[in-house]
């Protein structure tokens, strides 16, 4: 069953009924000011950091799931009936409803009682504010007198404190109201120099800033007393719960339309210009007023919206594809690329499954996210790489997370996840391949943000590499530390205390448990580092990297090959995990994916054999599960993985993130049919038709789909913020379509289903635009060996970097087998 449809031309997903199985969300903003918005206008906003600079309040794990947001109410003065045109929170019957989620904006439309309303929500580029454009049309035969109300609930900035510290916070809330603009200024009197504002383009019939005055005692957002009464009370919040609400009266002739613009924004004043007059406690509004005036003008708001559209035209235009498969096309051309932007911006911090309080930006996560993002905004990728590297420790280790506002490593989680450092190499390699900006390697970057400790970025990569060599275990495999990519394989934790964090508890000295996954990742990263060193003429470094990679690959053959697949790890007792000798968890996906991506087993058939084992033991029609058999009970020596009931999350769920590793591995052994089949199994667009089972948004990947051991096999969870976004984008574009950025040019090496007759791609790369046509007349899965470039045969499938000609370059590639 479907709950909407894709409008590919407008790059929108149109939801046609408000009660989707779960809230289906979108992101507003893509630079510094962000919002989350659901299909019923639920969600919240923040500036840079969802934890430390939260603008509006949101109560997670609520009933209903999604409550609290950017709610508008309409009230018919004659009948006294009122409703919210976004359906929530009043949930009245509608004559029609739609929610269009687009690139950085959402439009919610409905008609009730003959009154049609559209609200367009978006964040203008380069501004720290969001615009709500509410258009109301009278579809009745008679005149209508309507009151329109806006509403938001302010958060007292620190979302964690806001949700817990009531003894203080019920006394600190402060607002000002001036010329119809509501200013939220809690703590502005002391150490904050920022405030929020909520403005309206029309003359007000009233406002409210105190929640109780607006809602009334014992009432909720579904029936605010002041809306029901048809008159806001002009309340001024002192402590308790500051909100913002405006009231505008509209007299509408039949067929008449009126537009109201609401702005919710964030502003920082220079410390010495906080107050006006100086010495008073009144906010100096002089610096923000021009911005407010500008965007309250509907024409300016429209122009800003147009700029946003053009911005996305530009970003998405960098890679456009036309294949025989509509699901591939819309994911690659629109939604998967868009999701990559969201994961780049948010890492895993703020979604409807990540509370914005729990997590900062992950070191490994953010580095991997670059794979899907780097071609769209290389300058921002560069900045991110330098920020991440600056949190690296002198040992080469890494803080597992950092806070985006402070850009400092997050001490709560600390480090010791022994895979982390290598992802920096992978991220930098992706950046270099895309941009050719070799200068980044010379950028001085501190360790642990310590001034004076700066070393060239290249030295950071060297230390990442060395980190593993300094931490080898009894078999010569890398020690796992707190965990590797699989945060839930906690081999040094041994926790029997409820509530203890599996990721930060260590009961063992960590000198025994080893990771075959890290071994594979090390080989992959060492080969990248060798390629980088060679291009800088650091031949001794390059040689060392290759020698260590080869040595590690030998160790993997010796101790990491189980006969039919790669072992996963060794536990604290030196016993294998992910081996046929285990009772449960005999085979894991991660080591198959990473070892093959690192090139291990490609020469002697082991890679193909491992992939057959994946197909036999792990593949389901909903995707590939993480391991089998699922752990049926809690194992003290394995940790969190066995804390999940079978079939969920890391315990044999379909952890979508590493499905693309297998997809890539399949392309490496030339199996285009199977690679594409696996891709389609988790492709949300292809799953749209089973929306009642899948339940999450059909336009973005979810982190997990319940595995075959779960009663809800096929149900997705944790949509949006997942490494799946970058990895599937990378797998589809660079490995299935095979349009692959390399250090010295653009490789054209598709590995596609035999039945595809061909496809075309437009790719902007290093200043050139390539119009690539791939032909497959003989029904092959792989085999481009030479290219026709503007009609000339270049006898290789690597497009060399060349000066940008004024015209796009025509490239023709034929699969010859
Ligand atoms: C989840 C992992 C996640 C980790 C982060 C665990 O509970 O299962 O997917 O990486 O938390 O700390
Ligand atoms: C989600 C985390 O964000 C990621 O870092 C980790 O690799 C996976 N879970 C697997 O545990």
């Amino acid at each position: 069953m479907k709950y909407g449809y894709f409008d590919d031309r407008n790059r929108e997903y149109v939801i046609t009924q408000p009660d989707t199985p779960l809230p289906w969300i979108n992101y507003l903003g893509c630079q510094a000011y962000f919002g989350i918005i659901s299909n019923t206008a639920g969600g919240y906003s923040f500036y840079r950091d969802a934890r430390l600079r939260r603008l509006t309040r949101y109560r997670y794990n609520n009933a209903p799931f999604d409550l609290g947001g950017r709610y508008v109410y309409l009230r018919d003065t004659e009948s006294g009936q009122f409703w919210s045109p976004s359906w929530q929170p009043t949930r009245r019957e509608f004559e029609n409803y739609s929610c269009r989620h687009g690139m950085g904006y959402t439009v919610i439309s409905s008609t009730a009682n003959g009154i049609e309303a559209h609200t367009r929500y978006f964040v203008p580029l380069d501004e720290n504010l969001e615009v709500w454009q509410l258009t109301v049309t009278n579809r009745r035969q008679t005149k209508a007198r309507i009151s329109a109300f806006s509403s938001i609930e302010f958060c007292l900035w620190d979302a964690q404190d806001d949700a817990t510290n009531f003894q203080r916070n019920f006394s600190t809330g402060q607002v000002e109201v001036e010329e119809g603009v509501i200013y939220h200024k809690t703590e502005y009197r002391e150490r904050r120099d920022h405030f929020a504002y909520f403005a309206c383009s029309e003359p007000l019939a009233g406002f409210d800033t105190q929640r109780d005055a607006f809602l009334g005692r014992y009432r909720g957002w579904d029936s605010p007393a002041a809306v029901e009464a048809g008159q806001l009370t002009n309340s001024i919040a002192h402590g308790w719960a500051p909100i913002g609400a405006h009231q505008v009266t509209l007299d509408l002739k039949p067929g008449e339309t009126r537009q109201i613009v609401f702005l919710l924004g964030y502003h920082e004043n220079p410390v010495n210009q906080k107050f006006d007059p100086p010495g008073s406690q009144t906010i100096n509004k002089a610096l923000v007023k021009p911005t407010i005036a500008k965007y309250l003008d509907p024409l300016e708001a429209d122009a800003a919206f147009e700029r946003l559209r053009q911005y996305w035209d530009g970003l998405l235009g960098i890679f456009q594809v036309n294949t025989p498969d509509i699901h591939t096309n819309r994911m690659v051309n629109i939604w998967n690329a868009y999701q990559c932007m969201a994961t780049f911006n948010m890492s895993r911090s703020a979604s409807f499954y990540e509370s914005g309080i729990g997590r900062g930006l992950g070191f490994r996560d953010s580095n991997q996210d670059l794979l899907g993002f780097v071609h769209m905004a290389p300058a921002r990728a560069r900045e991110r790489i330098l920020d991440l590297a600056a949190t690296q420790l002198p040992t080469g280790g890494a803080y597992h997370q950092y806070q985006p506002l402070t850009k400092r490593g997050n001490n709560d989680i600390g480090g010791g996840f022994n895979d982390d450092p290598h992802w920096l190499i992978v991220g930098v390699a992706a950046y270099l391949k895309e941009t050719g900006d070799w200068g980044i390697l010379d950028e001085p970057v501190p360790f642990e943000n310590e001034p004076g400790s700066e070393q060239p970025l290249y030295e950071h990569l060297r230390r990442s590499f060395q980190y593993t060599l300094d931490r080898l275990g009894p078999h010569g495999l890398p020690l796992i530390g707190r965990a590797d990519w699989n945060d839930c394989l906690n081999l040094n934790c041994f926790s029997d205390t409820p509530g203890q964090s599996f990721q930060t508890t260590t009961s063992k000295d960590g000198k025994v448990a080893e990771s075959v996954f890290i071994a594979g990742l090390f080989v992959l990263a060492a080969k990248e580092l060798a390629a980088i060193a060679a291009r800088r003429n650091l031949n001794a470094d390059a040689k060392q990297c290759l020698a260590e990679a080869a040595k590690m690959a030998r160790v993997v053959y010796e101790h990491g090959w189980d006969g039919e697949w790669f072992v996963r790890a060794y536990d604290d007792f030196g016993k294998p995990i992910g081996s046929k000798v285990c009772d449960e968890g005999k085979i894991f996906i991660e080591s198959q994916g990473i070892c093959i991506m690192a090139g291990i087993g490609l020469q002697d058939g082991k890679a193909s054999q491992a992939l057959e084992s994946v197909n036999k033991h792990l593949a389901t029609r909903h995707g590939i599960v993480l391991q089998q058999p699922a752990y049926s009970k809690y194992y003290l020596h394995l940790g969190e993985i066995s804390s999940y009931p079978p079939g969920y999350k890391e315990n044999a769920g379909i952890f979508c993130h590493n499905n693309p590793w297998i997809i890539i591995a399949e392309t490496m052994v030339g199996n285009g049919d199977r690679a594409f089949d696996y891709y389609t199994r988790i492709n949300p667009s292809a799953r749209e038709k089973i929306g009642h089972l899948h339940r999450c948004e059909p336009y973005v990947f979810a982190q997990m789909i319940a595995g075959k051991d779960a009663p809800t096999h096929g149900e997705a969870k944790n949509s949006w913020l997942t490494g799946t976004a970058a990895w599937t984008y990378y797998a589809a574009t660079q490995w299935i379509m095979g349009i692959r950025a390399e250090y010295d040019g653009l490789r054209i090496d598709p590995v596609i289903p035999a039945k595809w007759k061909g496809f075309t791609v437009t790719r902007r790369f290093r200043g050139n635009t390539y119009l690539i046509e791939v032909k497959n007349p003989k029904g092959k899965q792989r085999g481009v060996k030479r290219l026709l470039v503007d009609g000339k045969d270049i006898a290789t499938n690597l497009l060399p970097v060349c000066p940008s000609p004024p015209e796009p370059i025509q490239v023709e590639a034929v699969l010859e087998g």
Side-chain angles (χ1 to χ4, degrees), residues 766-794:
R766 306 226 197 149
N768 291 321
T769 301
Y770 296 96
L771 305 178
I772 303 163
E773 179 166 12
V774 175
K775 295 182 176 166
N776 188 21
K778 296 189 191 139
K780 302 283 177 199
Q781 298 181 52
R782 178 180 217 167
V784 170
K785 302 201 174 72
R786 58 206 177 83
L787 301 171
L788 288 182
V789 180
D790 286 333
K792 236 179 71 203
D793 189 339
I794 63 164

Side-chain angles (χ1 to χ4, degrees), residues 385-397:
I385 287 170
L386 298 176
D387 287 347
L388 285 164
T391 66
Q392 194 179 22
L393 304 165
T395 56

Side-chain angles (χ1 to χ4, degrees), residues 359 487-488 503 640 644 649-650 655 703:
R359 299 218 231 171
D487 277 329
C488 298
Q503 272 87 47
E640 185 169 359
Y644 287 113
K649 294 278 287 182
E650 282 86 344
F655 214 91
Q703 181 203 56

Side-chain angles (χ1 to χ4, degrees), residues 620-793:
T620 78
R621 69 196 169 95
H622 295 293
I624 308 166
V625 298
L626 194 143
Q627 108 275 15
Q628 278 293 294
Y631 293 115
S632 60
K633 53 178 187 276
Y634 178 58
Y635 292 98
L636 192 66
H637 67 293
L638 298 180
E640 185 169 359
I641 190 166
S642 59
S643 76
Y644 287 113
Y648 293 112
K649 294 278 287 182
E650 282 86 344
N651 188 13
I654 296 158
F655 214 91
C656 297
H657 185 142
N658 40 34
N659 276 230
W661 299 351
I662 299 300
I663 295 170
I664 295 170
E666 287 288 0
T667 67
M668 293 176 93
V669 300
N671 199 343
D673 282 329
R674 204 186 257 171
F676 184 70
D677 178 15
Y678 286 155
Y679 173 67
T680 305
R681 294 185 203 195
I682 61 165
N683 184 326
S685 164
R687 297 174 64 77
E688 187 194 21
K689 55 182 185 295
I690 51 162
H692 54 285
L693 174 65
H694 184 79
R695 297 184 81 223
C696 277
E697 295 91 331
Y699 41 91
V700 289
F701 289 90
Q703 181 203 56
M704 189 217 32
I705 297 172
K708 57 185 172 186
D709 302 286
T712 58
H713 183 34
E715 181 190 43
K717 270 185 204 146
N718 303 357
S719 57
W720 281 95
L721 301 185
T722 159
T724 317
W727 276 104
T728 43
Y729 187 85
Y730 176 67
T733 56
Q734 305 213 23
W735 295 89
I736 294 178
M737 278 154 234
I739 313 296
R740 188 154 65 246
E742 292 190 358
Y743 295 106
D744 306 317
L746 198 59
R747 180 80 60 190
I748 314 295
D749 185 18
V751 185
I752 56 174
K755 68 169 197 266
W756 279 16
K757 293 272 170 260
F759 62 94
T760 58
V761 169
T762 305
R763 172 72 155 101
R764 289 212 297 277
F765 178 71
R766 306 226 197 149
N768 291 321
T769 301
Y770 296 96
L771 305 178
I772 303 163
E773 179 166 12
V774 175
K775 295 182 176 166
N776 188 21
K778 296 189 191 139
K780 302 283 177 199
Q781 298 181 52
R782 178 180 217 167
V784 170
K785 302 201 174 72
R786 58 206 177 83
L787 301 171
L788 288 182
V789 180
D790 286 333
K792 236 179 71 203
D793 189 339

Side-chain angles (χ1 to χ4, degrees), residues 489-539:
L489 197 56
N490 315 116
L491 305 183
N492 293 303
C493 176
F494 287 70
S495 172
D496 54 10
T497 307
Q500 227 169 27
S501 159
F502 286 105
Q503 272 87 47
T504 58
T505 304
T506 31
S507 329
K508 299 288 159 181
D509 64 8
K511 300 243 165 66
V512 180
E514 299 168 299
S515 163
V516 176
F517 172 83
I518 301 180
L521 179 61
F522 173 85
V523 173
L524 187 143
K527 287 182 176 173
E528 294 289 12
L529 192 54
I532 292 169
R535 280 167 185 77
R536 290 174 56 97
N537 295 321
L538 298 169
N539 295 328

